[in-house]
Amino acid sequence: MKNIISLILGGGRGTRLFPLTKYRSKPAVPFAAKYRLIDIPISNCLNSGLNQVYILTQFLSVSLHRHITSTYKFDTFAAGFVEALAAQQTLDSTDWYQGTADAVRQNLRYIQQRGIEYVLILSGDQLYRMDYRDMFKTHMENDADVTIGTLPVPREDVSGFGVVKLDENGRVVEFAEKPQTEEDINHYRTSPEWLRSRGLEPRGREHLASMGIYLFRRDVLVDLLTRYEHTDFGKEVFPSSIASHHVQSHLFDGYWEDVGTIRSFMKANLDLVSENPPMALDTEEFRIYTRPRYLPPTRMAGAMVKDSLIADGCTIGAGTVIENSVVGVRCRIGRDVTIRDSVIIGADYYESDEELQHKSSSTPAVGIGERSVIQGAIIDKNCRIGSDVRIINSSGTLQKECDNVTICDGIVVCAKDSVLADGWKLEP
């Protein structure tokens, strides 16, 4: 696998994840109590034996760069690297990345190094586990120029994906970006018998969607990016390559979630808290790597926790109830607090005794104060939630901008460093 280089696309603005992306890039958004979204594709690469990884970044990338440099280090003999490539002005280009393909085009010199024969293109905001060696095997067995990861999806989800039509051997012969009409959707239906012959049980999923995972022969990729002025892989590079090159489908039937919106971010987090999660975190195989923080164990003083993930370094007061939720690092939660169906991202630091003594009496400490109730909400880092605060969207409002919180798709989001004074309540 030493002749494969991995490129993880992490330069998008992440506007659909706002306000979680107000101060950070999308791949740097904290996830599942102790990780960041970027840890997923990087861990998949390392677990697949791929240790030459570049992350292409652009917007608000400081925290992402810091996380990468402090987490992924190789010894002298491993000869691997995980490095961030930020958008920059060069003699050839003075523009920002114009899209995913343009981002790779502006960094072609890094993949044209000696000994590199294949390029794996990945997204920085998807939750899944995949052994890319299986995809490489599919690529080699079919002598393909490009191999694309595809996922079976039900008919009702087709309009949100790019879908493919295959021949009997799994070669991609047609592609449609988010088909809308019944005629188009029917045209891209895959035979259930064909799926079963490939070891995949359809269960009503008879359309194959692009996962945004591409494996290219390096010379093919360089040719496509230098011959044409395509700016996007999904909309331009991949569809245009079907006519001129052998594009093969690699079937994947595991858990996969595109964490691109507030609702999908909430869903992906809460999917992991159940007794039988669709993607287990507590496994020795294909573990997820992240930065070691050397935090103390979490201390709970008579709290009740059910179906939840609790990270290191937390203090949870007596009488507190936490259900179906994710609680991140360094959370300080007072007595008799109720947290349900929520994601509490945590804190970057502990306030010292001196800081607590000298802070204004009207300013809550970092954390969640006594008797507060949080339901169906996302609380970003370093928020100061006072006592007797109620964060509940009882009116079912779908979208709303407030001074202190934002409601997105019915989910209440407290942006990083928000302050909610004692007794604050969400107005309908």
Side-chain angles (χ1 to χ4, degrees):
M1 305 294 281
K2 292 183 179 180
N3 60 350
I4 303 177
I5 199 164
S6 303
L7 301 181
I8 302 176
L9 305 174
R13 288 182 179 271
T15 52
R16 295 182 301 158
L17 264 179
F18 190 88
L20 297 181
T21 51
K22 184 177 182 180
Y23 300 110
R24 58 170 81 88
S25 63
K26 184 163 55 173
V29 171
F31 176 79
K34 61 181 299 181
Y35 308 103
R36 292 179 185 258
L37 290 177
I38 194 64
D39 291 327
I40 306 300
I42 294 177
S43 296
N44 280 333
C45 286
L46 299 180
N47 288 318
S48 301
L50 303 176
N51 63 355
Q52 300 180 86
V53 182
Y54 286 117
I55 298 97
L56 307 187
T57 68
Q58 183 163 241
F59 298 100
L60 299 172
S61 59
V62 172
S63 62
L64 178 60
H65 285 225
R66 184 186 303 122
H67 177 74
I68 292 167
T69 55
S70 62
T71 304
Y72 300 100
K73 301 177 181 179
F74 295 82
D75 62 37
T76 305
F77 304 100
F81 59 84
V82 176
E83 295 180 5
L85 297 177
Q88 58 183 331
Q89 289 190 351
T90 67
L91 294 176
D92 299 321
S93 176
T94 59
D95 296 325
W96 288 87
Y97 298 152
Q98 302 303 305
T100 54
D102 185 60
V104 176
R105 180 185 294 108
Q106 292 194 36
N107 290 284
L108 281 179
R109 62 186 180 279
Y110 294 102
I111 69 175
Q112 291 179 296
Q113 302 173 53
R114 182 173 176 271
I116 299 301
E117 298 180 51
Y118 303 94
V119 181
L120 181 65
I121 309 290
L122 305 170
S123 172
D125 60 351
Q126 296 173 348
L127 176 61
Y128 65 103
R129 275 198 179 99
M130 179 187 285
D131 190 335
Y132 299 129
R133 287 170 291 203
D134 295 335
M135 188 173 185
F136 184 67
K137 182 180 178 182
T138 299
H139 188 84
M140 297 301 291
E141 288 179 345
N142 291 276
D143 193 26
D145 296 311
V146 185
T147 297
I148 177 175
T150 56
L151 180 82
V153 297
R155 183 185 184 90
E156 58 268 23
D157 293 346
V158 169
S159 60
F161 289 96
V163 291
V164 298
K165 189 175 182 62
L166 310 179
D167 67 11
E168 284 299 312
N169 298 313
R171 180 170 177 168
V172 179
V173 293
E174 292 184 53
F175 174 85
E177 180 69 21
K178 300 179 180 179
Q180 302 294 319
T181 68
E182 287 296 311
E183 182 180 358
D184 285 342
I185 292 174
N186 288 333
H187 179 71
Y188 283 90
R189 177 179 175 271
T190 302
S191 163
E193 291 74 23
W194 188 90
L195 292 172
R196 290 191 184 96
S197 72
R198 298 302 192 276
L200 192 153
E201 185 58 42
R203 299 194 303 275
R205 303 168 303 160
E206 297 173 2
H207 293 78
L208 292 174
S210 167
M211 300 171 66
I213 300 173
Y214 310 100
L215 179 62
F216 285 87
R217 292 184 187 273
R218 185 193 64 177
D219 293 343
V220 169
L221 176 62
V222 172
D223 179 63
L224 288 170
L225 292 181
T226 53
R227 184 187 303 181
Y228 307 105
E229 296 184 359
H230 296 323
T231 59
D232 187 86
F233 276 103
K235 295 178 180 178
E236 297 173 304
V237 176
F238 168 60
S240 67
S241 64
I242 294 174
S244 57
H245 296 82
H246 180 163
V247 180
Q248 188 70 26
S249 168
H250 174 71
L251 300 177
F252 178 78
D253 194 24
Y255 175 77
W256 180 87
E257 187 73 38
D258 185 350
V259 190
T261 65
I262 290 294
R263 179 158 294 282
S264 63
F265 174 82
M266 176 73 100
K267 179 182 183 299
N269 272 276
L270 298 188
D271 277 347
L272 301 177
V273 307
S274 64
E275 186 175 353
N276 296 301
M279 192 182 91
L281 299 177
D282 53 344
T283 175
E284 284 294 317
E285 298 180 356
F286 267 66
R287 66 183 65 183
I288 301 174
Y289 299 100
T290 193
R291 181 166 65 92
R293 294 179 175 85
Y294 310 109
L295 292 172
T298 286
R299 179 168 58 85
M300 291 183 279
M304 189 197 83
V305 179
K306 179 181 178 183
D307 294 333
S308 297
L309 299 177
I310 310 294
D312 296 341
C314 300
T315 302
I316 303 174
T320 286
V321 175
I322 301 175
E323 294 182 355
N324 194 49
S325 296
V326 173
V327 177
V329 296
R330 302 186 190 89
C331 276
R332 286 189 169 177
I333 301 173
R335 300 168 62 93
D336 301 316
V337 171
T338 300
I339 300 173
R340 290 191 175 95
D341 308 319
S342 296
V343 176
I344 316 298
I345 291 181
D348 288 316
Y349 57 89
Y350 292 119
E351 287 184 290
S352 66
D353 292 338
E354 183 178 358
E355 287 175 317
L356 292 171
Q357 282 182 341
H358 289 88
K359 74 176 183 64
S360 167
S361 58
S362 61
T363 303
V366 173
I368 301 170
E370 297 180 348
R371 301 176 301 279
S372 289
V373 179
I374 300 173
Q375 184 169 317
I378 299 171
I379 311 299
D380 205 343
K381 278 189 175 182
N382 309 330
C383 286
R384 299 173 181 268
I385 310 297
S387 300
D388 300 301
V389 168
R390 292 183 63 84
I391 305 176
I392 304 174
N393 184 10
S394 55
S395 65
T397 302
L398 292 178
Q399 304 288 336
K400 186 176 181 179
E401 291 284 344
C402 305
D403 292 336
N404 298 297
V405 302
T406 301
I407 300 178
C408 304
D409 293 330
I411 298 168
V412 184
V413 185
C414 291
K416 187 177 180 181
D417 299 317
S418 293
V419 178
L420 303 183
D422 292 352
W424 186 94
K425 291 180 176 59
L426 179 65
E427 297 295 333

